[in-house]
Amino acid sequence: MKFPLSGIMIVLFMFSFVLLFNGLLHYWHPNITTLSGIFGNYNSKTYFFFTLTLFGCICGFIYEYTFKDIISLLLYFCIVFPLLLLLWVCEDYTGSIRNITHVIFAFIAFSFLLFYILYNAIKRNDKLLYLLLAISVFLFGKIIYDVLEYYSNITTPHPHPEVVFEEISLIILFVLAFLRRGDYL
């Protein structure tokens, strides 16, 4: 029995993201407020999970290429590249260059995630993808609201917004939309 290339790539993609989420759960503790903060500041676990996610994203790129849809492929790349940088860039403190780039990469990745889900939902006329889009818009709006509220009150003692749940949820929604795109869900 011969397995298609897309099937092999989606299995490898899922395997790497399952390991990523396992690492997120293992290293997460209540004092961490963002995704990049979970993996710490450039140690062996950061390199391992970055490499693991890079491998999974390359497999996903090959999987996406099998559909021969250039727009979806470009949207996938525009999600994955800032997402990888989001895992790589760990935050120092508010106002630092790493904190600012974290916010920028998160905004770019999650904006293109919305476009990716919208494009594939319209193209396939899939109700589940529309549901994933609605959930993604809500979570992304909550992240934007929390971050803007934090930066508007930066002079007063105000806790850093805890957006790790929303960031991880958006990545899970990306994986679900990615699977749904190929009728694996």
Side-chain angles (χ1 to χ4, degrees):
M1 184 173 168
K2 212 169 133 181
F3 292 109
L5 177 63
S6 64
I8 294 170
M9 291 299 117
I10 198 69
V11 167
L12 293 174
F13 174 83
M14 284 304 300
F15 179 71
S16 70
F17 272 87
V18 165
L19 288 178
L20 173 69
F21 292 131
N22 185 28
L24 289 173
L25 290 174
H26 181 72
Y27 290 111
W28 180 79
H29 60 81
N31 295 334
I32 297 175
T33 59
T34 61
L35 180 64
S36 65
I38 291 175
F39 294 124
N41 289 318
Y42 306 116
N43 54 30
S44 59
K45 63 182 178 180
T46 303
Y47 299 134
F48 172 74
F49 286 109
F50 178 79
T51 306
L52 179 72
T53 308
L54 177 65
F55 172 74
C57 290
I58 290 171
C59 291
F61 188 77
I62 295 168
Y63 167 77
E64 186 71 46
Y65 180 74
T66 62
F67 292 106
K68 305 288 190 222
D69 185 355
I70 192 70
I71 296 172
S72 185
L73 187 67
L74 288 173
L75 288 171
Y76 173 81
F77 180 76
C78 291
I79 295 168
V80 167
F81 185 68
L83 182 65
L84 287 170
L85 293 175
L86 187 62
L87 287 176
W88 185 258
V89 177
C90 300
E91 298 183 50
D92 276 330
Y93 50 88
T94 303
S96 70
I97 188 70
R98 287 176 20 185
N99 178 267
I100 293 168
T101 55
H102 173 89
V103 171
I104 291 170
F105 289 145
F107 181 78
I108 293 169
F110 298 143
S111 296
F112 279 105
L113 170 65
L114 297 177
F115 290 130
Y116 179 81
I117 296 173
L118 178 65
Y119 174 76
N120 285 308
I122 290 171
K123 185 170 181 181
R124 297 185 44 166
N125 196 18
D126 190 348
K127 291 181 173 128
L128 181 63
L129 284 175
Y130 284 121
L131 177 66
L132 292 176
L133 178 65
I135 295 169
S136 299
V137 167
F138 170 75
L139 289 172
F140 188 54
K142 185 174 180 328
I143 291 173
I144 290 175
Y145 175 78
D146 289 345
V147 169
L148 289 177
E149 182 179 313
Y150 173 73
Y151 281 121
S152 68
N153 297 328
I154 203 154
T155 56
T156 61
H158 192 262
H160 194 274
E162 296 184 17
V163 294
V164 67
F165 171 75
E166 288 85 358
E167 288 180 338
I168 292 172
S169 298
L170 282 170
I171 293 173
I172 291 172
L173 290 171
F174 163 63
V175 171
L176 291 175
F178 193 68
L179 289 173
R180 184 66 181 173
R181 187 212 187 308
D183 288 329
Y184 287 103
L185 181 66

